[in-house]
Amino acid sequence: MNTPYINNQAGKIILANIYGEDKPGVTAQLTQILANHSAYILDIGQSDIHNNLALGILFQTTEGESGHILKDLLFKSYELGVTIRFKPISDKEYMDWVGLQGKNRYIITIVARKITAEMIAGIAMASAEQGLNIDDIKRLTGRISLNTEASKTPMASVEFSMRGTPRDKDALQAKFVSLSQEYNLDISFQRESMYRRTRRLICFDMDSTLIQTEVIDELAIANGVGDQVKEITERAMRGEIDFTESFRERVALLKGLDVSVMQGIAERLPLTEGLERLMKTLKTVGFKIAILSGGFKFFGNYLKQKFGIDYVYANELEVENGKLTGRYVGDVVDGRRKAELLRLIAQVEGVHLMQTVAVGDGANDLPMLSLAGLGIAFHAKPRVKENAKQTLSNVGIDGILYFLGYKDSIIDDETLNTPKAL
């Protein structure tokens, strides 16, 4: 059998749209008819919403076969209980459509506690105004039960695949920021590329990112200097004072604290919402995970053991006779050092920088957020949000998984963690 090809002599191009109740075998039986008549499928797409099928098949017939194919498809669709509609496509229409496929592609991911029609409309309108066309929309999170309390359905996520080139990318980003603030919505806008689909290294800040506290504040409270240290910490995170200078001042206030206090604080660390789910998934799919923290190595190592984290780089407190001296050992892990470490780990792991992800909340995280292929400001300070390309502010840290393109059906599949014998 000769394989058909696209030219003016090869036959007609026809778009078939099929609608109706979804059931096993519909696609198989309809495409079998095309196979029987040696038709060539140029494009195919299928979706299912509330058990209703929407199937589109763009095919080219061989010479003289179009009438037979349409008749057979009509009879089979009647037998299957679905509706089929046909539309002839001219060669020019087809080639114009093919030409559009070379345009840039972008992925817009939205994450919220609950997605509303206003959110979808806002994203679609903003994209259309910039000349982007929606190719595909899919829900990444699971279906919501009417009997499920809101507290048990903490996130909803939808991903848009867009084609085209924004007329003004900065204006589009600004519009997304406005929509995010108006609707308590997180929006990721990424260029579609092979790198987006092959992220392999993720680097986290620790304090106020993986854990919902600043450990140095906890140590200060235990040493009776909580208010003094907290005030310095907040100024540093807002970028109002140099991180290294602020770090030296805060550590000095910890002098005399018994090191035994640190273990108790580690065991009571308030983990960020969604952290266990995030870590489990990242390890399952093969990510290398690093903590790059301006906090303390003792607590980073505690999380390393708990979650199987691969790298921990943080500051080391000096200890003498079982007590903190108010000094630290080695260089401070500041913003510049975090970016250096991200680059170094990527080199060691043989990972392209575009395959890296960085997550943090403070001003000292901006260098690594800017360097990574995907930099995410998580529940971040205002200055960090203003300078980061991606922000996540309204859901737990496992919302990162949707920015990476994972679906709940994969994330929560227990078989991922239960290898079966072949």
Side-chain angles (χ1 to χ4, degrees):
M1 181 184 298
N2 293 326
T3 301
Y5 57 94
I6 305 301
N7 65 32
N8 291 333
Q9 306 301 319
K12 295 182 178 180
I13 300 175
I14 299 170
L15 174 62
N17 288 304
I18 300 98
Y19 311 94
E21 181 184 354
D22 195 13
K23 61 187 76 172
V26 173
T27 303
Q29 294 184 60
L30 293 176
T31 53
Q32 184 59 55
I33 290 172
L34 296 176
N36 293 341
H37 291 281
S38 301
Y40 182 44
I41 294 180
L42 305 174
D43 195 20
I44 186 168
Q46 179 174 320
S47 64
D48 180 290
I49 299 179
H50 196 59
N51 205 37
N52 280 266
L53 170 73
L55 169 64
I57 308 175
L58 183 66
F59 63 92
Q60 184 186 38
T61 70
T62 52
E63 189 64 34
E65 284 292 312
S66 60
H68 300 297
I69 292 178
L70 299 189
K71 180 189 70 175
D72 289 352
L73 287 173
L74 280 169
F75 277 119
K76 180 56 69 175
S77 63
Y78 178 80
E79 178 184 319
L80 293 170
V82 296
T83 300
I84 189 167
R85 295 285 184 267
F86 301 108
K87 179 182 177 182
I89 306 295
S90 70
D91 289 352
K92 182 180 184 306
E93 287 176 313
Y94 176 79
M95 294 308 295
D96 288 346
W97 174 76
V98 169
L100 291 174
Q101 305 314 300
K103 287 192 173 183
N104 292 329
R105 289 182 178 274
Y106 292 89
I107 298 296
I108 299 174
T109 309
I110 63 175
V111 185
R113 296 293 178 180
K114 182 177 182 181
I115 290 178
T116 67
E118 286 179 313
M119 295 175 182
I120 301 292
I123 294 294
M125 184 65 70
S127 302
E129 289 172 350
Q130 287 292 329
L132 296 178
N133 185 62
I134 299 173
D135 267 350
D136 182 55
I137 304 176
K138 61 183 177 184
R139 186 181 181 93
L140 299 180
T141 45
R143 273 57 176 179
I144 299 174
S145 170
L146 295 178
N147 297 321
T148 302
E149 298 175 6
S151 61
K152 295 181 180 179
T153 56
M155 275 189 291
S157 180
V158 171
E159 179 182 282
F160 299 78
S161 175
M162 299 284 191
R163 184 180 66 244
T165 301
R167 298 186 182 97
D168 187 334
K169 197 171 180 180
D170 290 339
L172 182 58
Q173 290 274 24
K175 181 62 176 177
F176 286 159
V177 170
S178 176
L179 290 171
S180 177
Q181 294 171 347
E182 182 177 359
Y183 297 122
N184 295 322
L185 169 71
D186 292 313
I187 306 172
S188 168
F189 181 62
Q190 302 178 58
R191 177 78 175 271
E192 178 67 300
S193 70
M194 66 175 182
Y195 296 121
R196 177 184 171 269
R197 298 175 178 272
T198 57
R199 309 286 191 199
R200 288 295 176 265
L201 168 65
I202 187 164
C203 298
F204 292 98
D205 173 47
M206 180 173 65
D207 295 23
S208 296
T209 299
L210 297 180
I211 56 177
Q212 293 181 302
T213 188
E214 294 285 333
V215 169
I216 197 166
D217 292 345
E218 300 297 325
L219 293 171
I221 291 170
N223 206 36
V225 291
D227 291 341
Q228 294 167 261
V229 167
K230 186 175 182 180
E231 191 273 335
I232 300 172
T233 299
E234 289 176 350
R235 290 173 58 206
M237 291 298 100
R238 291 195 299 265
E240 296 173 3
I241 56 175
D242 175 75
F243 180 81
T244 301
E245 177 188 344
S246 71
F247 183 77
R248 187 180 300 111
E249 291 179 11
R250 288 177 290 170
V251 169
L253 292 169
L254 301 180
K255 182 178 180 179
L257 182 66
D258 197 295
V259 293
S260 63
V261 174
M262 297 172 70
Q263 181 63 33
I265 291 175
E267 293 172 354
R268 297 191 302 272
L269 288 176
L271 301 181
T272 297
E273 176 191 355
L275 180 60
E276 295 193 29
R277 181 174 183 245
L278 173 65
M279 289 296 178
K280 178 180 178 182
T281 304
L282 292 175
K283 294 299 292 185
T284 299
V285 299
F287 265 81
K288 291 295 182 179
I289 305 172
I291 291 177
L292 309 181
S293 174
F296 302 118
K297 196 170 184 179
F298 180 91
F299 302 97
N301 284 335
Y302 178 84
L303 295 177
K304 177 181 180 179
Q305 293 179 354
K306 184 176 181 67
F307 295 111
I309 292 168
D310 301 284
Y311 298 91
V312 173
Y313 290 93
N315 298 301
E316 189 83 43
L317 291 169
E318 185 182 73
V319 178
E320 289 182 359
N321 301 317
K323 295 184 182 296
L324 301 184
T325 65
R327 298 185 294 272
Y328 55 88
V329 179
D331 295 330
V332 174
V333 179
D334 58 7
R336 179 186 58 80
R337 182 59 176 156
K338 286 187 180 188
E340 289 175 350
L341 288 166
L342 186 153
R343 188 186 298 275
L344 177 62
I345 296 171
Q347 290 175 348
V348 169
E349 294 293 341
V351 173
H352 193 285
L353 278 176
M354 289 299 294
Q355 294 176 282
T356 66
V357 184
V359 186
D361 74 298
N364 63 321
D365 296 312
L366 281 171
M368 73 171 182
L369 297 185
S370 299
L371 180 64
L374 177 64
I376 303 172
F378 178 72
H379 288 245
K381 312 301 184 291
R383 179 191 166 191
V384 182
K385 284 185 179 182
E386 290 170 5
N387 288 276
K389 293 182 179 179
Q390 317 287 344
T391 64
L392 194 67
S393 302
N394 297 289
V395 298
I397 199 167
D398 52 338
I400 290 170
L401 295 170
Y402 306 115
F403 282 10
L404 295 174
Y406 293 112
K407 299 181 67 174
D408 276 358
S409 56
I410 297 174
I411 296 170
D412 297 325
D413 186 352
E414 291 300 325
T415 61
L416 285 176
N417 300 301
T418 309
K420 297 179 179 179
L422 297 178

